[in-house]
PDB file of all heavy atoms in Angstrom:
ATOM      1  N   TRP A 430     -53.665  99.924 -81.089  1.00  0.00           N
ATOM      2  CA  TRP A 430     -52.232  99.696 -80.899  1.00  0.00           C
ATOM      3  C   TRP A 430     -51.917  98.854 -79.670  1.00  0.00           C
ATOM      4  O   TRP A 430     -51.026  97.999 -79.701  1.00  0.00           O
ATOM      5  CB  TRP A 430     -51.469 101.032 -80.828  1.00  0.00           C
ATOM      6  CG  TRP A 430     -50.015 100.859 -81.142  1.00  0.00           C
ATOM      7  CD1 TRP A 430     -49.417 100.969 -82.351  1.00  0.00           C
ATOM      8  CD2 TRP A 430     -48.984 100.510 -80.211  1.00  0.00           C
ATOM      9  NE1 TRP A 430     -48.062 100.700 -82.251  1.00  0.00           N
ATOM     10  CE2 TRP A 430     -47.776 100.411 -80.957  1.00  0.00           C
ATOM     11  CE3 TRP A 430     -48.942 100.252 -78.853  1.00  0.00           C
ATOM     12  CZ2 TRP A 430     -46.558 100.081 -80.362  1.00  0.00           C
ATOM     13  CZ3 TRP A 430     -47.730  99.914 -78.252  1.00  0.00           C
ATOM     14  CH2 TRP A 430     -46.557  99.838 -79.013  1.00  0.00           C
ATOM     15  N   LYS A 431     -52.620  99.052 -78.569  1.00  0.00           N
ATOM     16  CA  LYS A 431     -52.342  98.301 -77.343  1.00  0.00           C
ATOM     17  C   LYS A 431     -53.118  96.982 -77.254  1.00  0.00           C
ATOM     18  O   LYS A 431     -53.017  96.270 -76.264  1.00  0.00           O
ATOM     19  CB  LYS A 431     -52.629  99.157 -76.114  1.00  0.00           C
ATOM     20  CG  LYS A 431     -51.585 100.252 -75.890  1.00  0.00           C
ATOM     21  CD  LYS A 431     -51.783 100.932 -74.525  1.00  0.00           C
ATOM     22  CE  LYS A 431     -50.651 101.911 -74.235  1.00  0.00           C
ATOM     23  NZ  LYS A 431     -50.807 102.534 -72.886  1.00  0.00           N
ATOM     24  N   TYR A 432     -53.869  96.675 -78.314  1.00  0.00           N
ATOM     25  CA  TYR A 432     -54.620  95.417 -78.332  1.00  0.00           C
ATOM     26  C   TYR A 432     -53.964  94.354 -79.207  1.00  0.00           C
ATOM     27  O   TYR A 432     -54.189  93.158 -79.007  1.00  0.00           O
ATOM     28  CB  TYR A 432     -56.054  95.665 -78.797  1.00  0.00           C
ATOM     29  CG  TYR A 432     -56.913  96.320 -77.746  1.00  0.00           C
ATOM     30  CD1 TYR A 432     -57.004  97.704 -77.662  1.00  0.00           C
ATOM     31  CD2 TYR A 432     -57.632  95.557 -76.830  1.00  0.00           C
ATOM     32  CE1 TYR A 432     -57.787  98.314 -76.690  1.00  0.00           C
ATOM     33  CE2 TYR A 432     -58.410  96.150 -75.846  1.00  0.00           C
ATOM     34  CZ  TYR A 432     -58.485  97.530 -75.787  1.00  0.00           C
ATOM     35  OH  TYR A 432     -59.252  98.122 -74.823  1.00  0.00           O
ATOM     36  N   LEU A 433     -53.162  94.775 -80.175  1.00  0.00           N
ATOM     37  CA  LEU A 433     -52.554  93.806 -81.084  1.00  0.00           C
ATOM     38  C   LEU A 433     -51.240  94.353 -81.629  1.00  0.00           C
ATOM     39  O   LEU A 433     -51.054  95.573 -81.717  1.00  0.00           O
ATOM     40  CB  LEU A 433     -53.512  93.461 -82.234  1.00  0.00           C
ATOM     41  CG  LEU A 433     -54.089  94.592 -83.090  1.00  0.00           C
ATOM     42  CD1 LEU A 433     -53.138  95.003 -84.212  1.00  0.00           C
ATOM     43  CD2 LEU A 433     -55.410  94.153 -83.705  1.00  0.00           C
ATOM     44  N   PRO A 434     -50.314  93.461 -81.977  1.00  0.00           N
ATOM     45  CA  PRO A 434     -49.069  93.904 -82.618  1.00  0.00           C
ATOM     46  C   PRO A 434     -49.355  94.335 -84.062  1.00  0.00           C
ATOM     47  O   PRO A 434     -49.586  93.501 -84.932  1.00  0.00           O
ATOM     48  CB  PRO A 434     -48.170  92.657 -82.581  1.00  0.00           C
ATOM     49  CG  PRO A 434     -48.822  91.710 -81.607  1.00  0.00           C
ATOM     50  CD  PRO A 434     -50.290  92.013 -81.685  1.00  0.00           C
ATOM     51  N   VAL A 435     -49.374  95.635 -84.295  1.00  0.00           N
ATOM     52  CA  VAL A 435     -49.639  96.173 -85.625  1.00  0.00           C
ATOM     53  C   VAL A 435     -48.479  95.798 -86.556  1.00  0.00           C
ATOM     54  O   VAL A 435     -47.309  95.838 -86.161  1.00  0.00           O
ATOM     55  CB  VAL A 435     -49.800  97.695 -85.569  1.00  0.00           C
ATOM     56  CG1 VAL A 435     -49.918  98.295 -86.965  1.00  0.00           C
ATOM     57  CG2 VAL A 435     -51.018  98.067 -84.726  1.00  0.00           C
ATOM     58  N   GLY A 436     -48.788  95.411 -87.790  1.00  0.00           N
ATOM     59  CA  GLY A 436     -47.739  95.069 -88.742  1.00  0.00           C
ATOM     60  C   GLY A 436     -48.241  95.134 -90.160  1.00  0.00           C
ATOM     61  O   GLY A 436     -49.419  95.386 -90.415  1.00  0.00           O
ATOM     62  N   TYR A 437     -47.315  94.911 -91.096  1.00  0.00           N
ATOM     63  CA  TYR A 437     -47.695  94.831 -92.503  1.00  0.00           C
ATOM     64  C   TYR A 437     -46.739  93.884 -93.209  1.00  0.00           C
ATOM     65  O   TYR A 437     -45.621  93.634 -92.735  1.00  0.00           O
ATOM     66  CB  TYR A 437     -47.677  96.211 -93.181  1.00  0.00           C
ATOM     67  CG  TYR A 437     -46.287  96.787 -93.411  1.00  0.00           C
ATOM     68  CD1 TYR A 437     -45.634  96.620 -94.641  1.00  0.00           C
ATOM     69  CD2 TYR A 437     -45.622  97.463 -92.416  1.00  0.00           C
ATOM     70  CE1 TYR A 437     -44.366  97.138 -94.849  1.00  0.00           C
ATOM     71  CE2 TYR A 437     -44.358  97.975 -92.611  1.00  0.00           C
ATOM     72  CZ  TYR A 437     -43.735  97.804 -93.828  1.00  0.00           C
ATOM     73  OH  TYR A 437     -42.471  98.299 -94.034  1.00  0.00           O
ATOM     74  N   HIS A 438     -47.167  93.330 -94.334  1.00  0.00           N
ATOM     75  CA  HIS A 438     -46.331  92.421 -95.111  1.00  0.00           C
ATOM     76  C   HIS A 438     -45.374  93.233 -95.977  1.00  0.00           C
ATOM     77  O   HIS A 438     -45.797  94.060 -96.785  1.00  0.00           O
ATOM     78  CB  HIS A 438     -47.198  91.507 -95.976  1.00  0.00           C
ATOM     79  CG  HIS A 438     -48.020  90.548 -95.172  1.00  0.00           C
ATOM     80  ND1 HIS A 438     -47.475  89.459 -94.551  1.00  0.00           N
ATOM     81  CD2 HIS A 438     -49.331  90.537 -94.877  1.00  0.00           C
ATOM     82  CE1 HIS A 438     -48.425  88.796 -93.902  1.00  0.00           C
ATOM     83  NE2 HIS A 438     -49.565  89.433 -94.083  1.00  0.00           N
ATOM     84  N   GLY A 439     -44.081  93.003 -95.803  1.00  0.00           N
ATOM     85  CA  GLY A 439     -43.063  93.713 -96.560  1.00  0.00           C
ATOM     86  C   GLY A 439     -42.631  92.943 -97.788  1.00  0.00           C
ATOM     87  O   GLY A 439     -43.210  91.919 -98.155  1.00  0.00           O
ATOM     88  N   ARG A 440     -41.563  93.416 -98.411  1.00  0.00           N
ATOM     89  CA  ARG A 440     -41.077  92.839 -99.658  1.00  0.00           C
ATOM     90  C   ARG A 440     -39.814  92.033 -99.394  1.00  0.00           C
ATOM     91  O   ARG A 440     -38.752  92.585 -99.117  1.00  0.00           O
ATOM     92  CB  ARG A 440     -40.789  93.958-100.668  1.00  0.00           C
ATOM     93  CG  ARG A 440     -40.329  93.464-102.025  1.00  0.00           C
ATOM     94  CD  ARG A 440     -41.418  92.710-102.760  1.00  0.00           C
ATOM     95  NE  ARG A 440     -40.932  92.166-104.016  1.00  0.00           N
ATOM     96  CZ  ARG A 440     -41.651  91.396-104.820  1.00  0.00           C
ATOM     97  NH1 ARG A 440     -42.895  91.077-104.500  1.00  0.00           N
ATOM     98  NH2 ARG A 440     -41.137  90.930-105.940  1.00  0.00           N
ATOM     99  N   ALA A 441     -39.910  90.699 -99.458  1.00  0.00           N
ATOM    100  CA  ALA A 441     -38.789  89.830 -99.138  1.00  0.00           C
ATOM    101  C   ALA A 441     -37.661  89.939-100.158  1.00  0.00           C
ATOM    102  O   ALA A 441     -36.487  89.754 -99.820  1.00  0.00           O
ATOM    103  CB  ALA A 441     -39.257  88.385 -99.027  1.00  0.00           C
ATOM    104  N   SER A 442     -37.993  90.252-101.418  1.00  0.00           N
ATOM    105  CA  SER A 442     -36.982  90.235-102.476  1.00  0.00           C
ATOM    106  C   SER A 442     -35.938  91.318-102.301  1.00  0.00           C
ATOM    107  O   SER A 442     -34.833  91.225-102.844  1.00  0.00           O
ATOM    108  CB  SER A 442     -37.648  90.383-103.845  1.00  0.00           C
ATOM    109  OG  SER A 442     -38.252  91.668-103.969  1.00  0.00           O
ATOM    110  N   SER A 443     -36.263  92.384-101.551  1.00  0.00           N
ATOM    111  CA  SER A 443     -35.321  93.487-101.405  1.00  0.00           C
ATOM    112  C   SER A 443     -34.629  93.502-100.040  1.00  0.00           C
ATOM    113  O   SER A 443     -34.031  94.497 -99.659  1.00  0.00           O
ATOM    114  CB  SER A 443     -36.021  94.829-101.663  1.00  0.00           C
ATOM    115  OG  SER A 443     -37.177  94.977-100.876  1.00  0.00           O
ATOM    116  N   VAL A 444     -34.716  92.388 -99.301  1.00  0.00           N
ATOM    117  CA  VAL A 444     -33.902  92.237 -98.097  1.00  0.00           C
ATOM    118  C   VAL A 444     -32.490  91.860 -98.535  1.00  0.00           C
ATOM    119  O   VAL A 444     -32.306  90.916 -99.316  1.00  0.00           O
ATOM    120  CB  VAL A 444     -34.482  91.164 -97.165  1.00  0.00           C
ATOM    121  CG1 VAL A 444     -33.585  90.990 -95.934  1.00  0.00           C
ATOM    122  CG2 VAL A 444     -35.900  91.503 -96.746  1.00  0.00           C
ATOM    123  N   VAL A 445     -31.497  92.599 -98.040  1.00  0.00           N
ATOM    124  CA  VAL A 445     -30.110  92.394 -98.461  1.00  0.00           C
ATOM    125  C   VAL A 445     -29.208  92.281 -97.241  1.00  0.00           C
ATOM    126  O   VAL A 445     -29.552  92.731 -96.145  1.00  0.00           O
ATOM    127  CB  VAL A 445     -29.623  93.536 -99.379  1.00  0.00           C
ATOM    128  CG1 VAL A 445     -30.408  93.557-100.680  1.00  0.00           C
ATOM    129  CG2 VAL A 445     -29.723  94.887 -98.660  1.00  0.00           C
ATOM    130  N   VAL A 446     -28.022  91.698 -97.451  1.00  0.00           N
ATOM    131  CA  VAL A 446     -27.073  91.527 -96.369  1.00  0.00           C
ATOM    132  C   VAL A 446     -26.262  92.797 -96.172  1.00  0.00           C
ATOM    133  O   VAL A 446     -26.125  93.628 -97.094  1.00  0.00           O
ATOM    134  CB  VAL A 446     -26.152  90.325 -96.634  1.00  0.00           C
ATOM    135  CG1 VAL A 446     -25.116  90.649 -97.710  1.00  0.00           C
ATOM    136  CG2 VAL A 446     -25.473  89.855 -95.345  1.00  0.00           C
ATOM    137  N   SER A 447     -25.761  92.979 -94.986  1.00  0.00           N
ATOM    138  CA  SER A 447     -24.935  94.127 -94.635  1.00  0.00           C
ATOM    139  C   SER A 447     -23.841  94.358 -95.661  1.00  0.00           C
ATOM    140  O   SER A 447     -23.219  93.437 -96.156  1.00  0.00           O
ATOM    141  CB  SER A 447     -24.287  93.881 -93.260  1.00  0.00           C
ATOM    142  OG  SER A 447     -23.385  94.910 -92.937  1.00  0.00           O
ATOM    143  N   GLY A 448     -23.635  95.640 -95.976  1.00  0.00           N
ATOM    144  CA  GLY A 448     -22.620  96.021 -96.954  1.00  0.00           C
ATOM    145  C   GLY A 448     -23.167  96.312 -98.335  1.00  0.00           C
ATOM    146  O   GLY A 448     -22.463  96.890 -99.181  1.00  0.00           O
ATOM    147  N   THR A 449     -24.410  95.934 -98.590  1.00  0.00           N
ATOM    148  CA  THR A 449     -25.025  96.176 -99.892  1.00  0.00           C
ATOM    149  C   THR A 449     -25.451  97.642 -99.998  1.00  0.00           C
ATOM    150  O   THR A 449     -26.189  98.142 -99.143  1.00  0.00           O
ATOM    151  CB  THR A 449     -26.274  95.293-100.075  1.00  0.00           C
ATOM    152  OG1 THR A 449     -25.925  93.921 -99.864  1.00  0.00           O
ATOM    153  CG2 THR A 449     -26.865  95.465-101.463  1.00  0.00           C
ATOM    154  N   PRO A 450     -25.000  98.383-101.021  1.00  0.00           N
ATOM    155  CA  PRO A 450     -25.428  99.795-101.164  1.00  0.00           C
ATOM    156  C   PRO A 450     -26.924  99.876-101.421  1.00  0.00           C
ATOM    157  O   PRO A 450     -27.536  98.971-101.988  1.00  0.00           O
ATOM    158  CB  PRO A 450     -24.623 100.285-102.376  1.00  0.00           C
ATOM    159  CG  PRO A 450     -23.523  99.287-102.560  1.00  0.00           C
ATOM    160  CD  PRO A 450     -24.050  97.982-102.071  1.00  0.00           C
ATOM    161  N   ILE A 451     -27.516 100.979-101.002  1.00  0.00           N
ATOM    162  CA  ILE A 451     -28.951 101.228-101.179  1.00  0.00           C
ATOM    163  C   ILE A 451     -29.132 102.475-102.031  1.00  0.00           C
ATOM    164  O   ILE A 451     -28.614 103.548-101.699  1.00  0.00           O
ATOM    165  CB  ILE A 451     -29.651 101.404 -99.822  1.00  0.00           C
ATOM    166  CG1 ILE A 451     -29.520 100.144 -98.981  1.00  0.00           C
ATOM    167  CG2 ILE A 451     -31.121 101.779-100.020  1.00  0.00           C
ATOM    168  CD1 ILE A 451     -30.204  98.917 -99.564  1.00  0.00           C
ATOM    169  N   LYS A 452     -29.853 102.343-103.113  1.00  0.00           N
ATOM    170  CA  LYS A 452     -30.051 103.465-104.025  1.00  0.00           C
ATOM    171  C   LYS A 452     -31.238 104.310-103.567  1.00  0.00           C
ATOM    172  O   LYS A 452     -32.309 103.769-103.265  1.00  0.00           O
ATOM    173  CB  LYS A 452     -30.279 102.940-105.444  1.00  0.00           C
ATOM    174  CG  LYS A 452     -30.245 104.012-106.516  1.00  0.00           C
ATOM    175  CD  LYS A 452     -30.171 103.382-107.910  1.00  0.00           C
ATOM    176  CE  LYS A 452     -28.788 102.804-108.176  1.00  0.00           C
ATOM    177  NZ  LYS A 452     -28.616 102.388-109.594  1.00  0.00           N
ATOM    178  N   ARG A 453     -31.031 105.622-103.534  1.00  0.00           N
ATOM    179  CA  ARG A 453     -32.127 106.533-103.206  1.00  0.00           C
ATOM    180  C   ARG A 453     -33.257 106.307-104.221  1.00  0.00           C
ATOM    181  O   ARG A 453     -33.024 106.297-105.431  1.00  0.00           O
ATOM    182  CB  ARG A 453     -31.636 107.976-103.256  1.00  0.00           C
ATOM    183  CG  ARG A 453     -32.688 109.023-102.883  1.00  0.00           C
ATOM    184  CD  ARG A 453     -32.119 110.422-102.991  1.00  0.00           C
ATOM    185  NE  ARG A 453     -31.037 110.614-102.027  1.00  0.00           N
ATOM    186  CZ  ARG A 453     -31.196 111.063-100.789  1.00  0.00           C
ATOM    187  NH1 ARG A 453     -32.416 111.364-100.361  1.00  0.00           N
ATOM    188  NH2 ARG A 453     -30.160 111.216 -99.983  1.00  0.00           N
ATOM    189  N   PRO A 454     -34.490 106.140-103.759  1.00  0.00           N
ATOM    190  CA  PRO A 454     -35.566 105.820-104.698  1.00  0.00           C
ATOM    191  C   PRO A 454     -36.157 107.041-105.387  1.00  0.00           C
ATOM    192  O   PRO A 454     -36.105 108.162-104.872  1.00  0.00           O
ATOM    193  CB  PRO A 454     -36.610 105.158-103.802  1.00  0.00           C
ATOM    194  CG  PRO A 454     -36.436 105.847-102.484  1.00  0.00           C
ATOM    195  CD  PRO A 454     -34.942 106.089-102.358  1.00  0.00           C
ATOM    196  N   ASN A 455     -36.740 106.812-106.542  1.00  0.00           N
ATOM    197  CA  ASN A 455     -37.622 107.785-107.195  1.00  0.00           C
ATOM    198  C   ASN A 455     -39.062 107.415-106.897  1.00  0.00           C
ATOM    199  O   ASN A 455     -39.381 106.234-106.688  1.00  0.00           O
ATOM    200  CB  ASN A 455     -37.396 107.786-108.713  1.00  0.00           C
ATOM    201  CG  ASN A 455     -36.035 108.329-109.097  1.00  0.00           C
ATOM    202  OD1 ASN A 455     -35.570 109.317-108.547  1.00  0.00           O
ATOM    203  ND2 ASN A 455     -35.381 107.676-110.053  1.00  0.00           N
TER     204      ASN A 455
END
Side-chain angles (χ1 to χ4, degrees):
W430 201 92
K431 286 190 174 182
Y432 285 91
L433 55 84
V435 174
Y437 72 95
H438 293 286
R440 182 67 184 176
S442 65
S443 53
V444 178
V445 295
V446 74
S447 174
T449 306
I451 298 296
K452 190 167 287 189
R453 182 181 296 270
N455 292 318

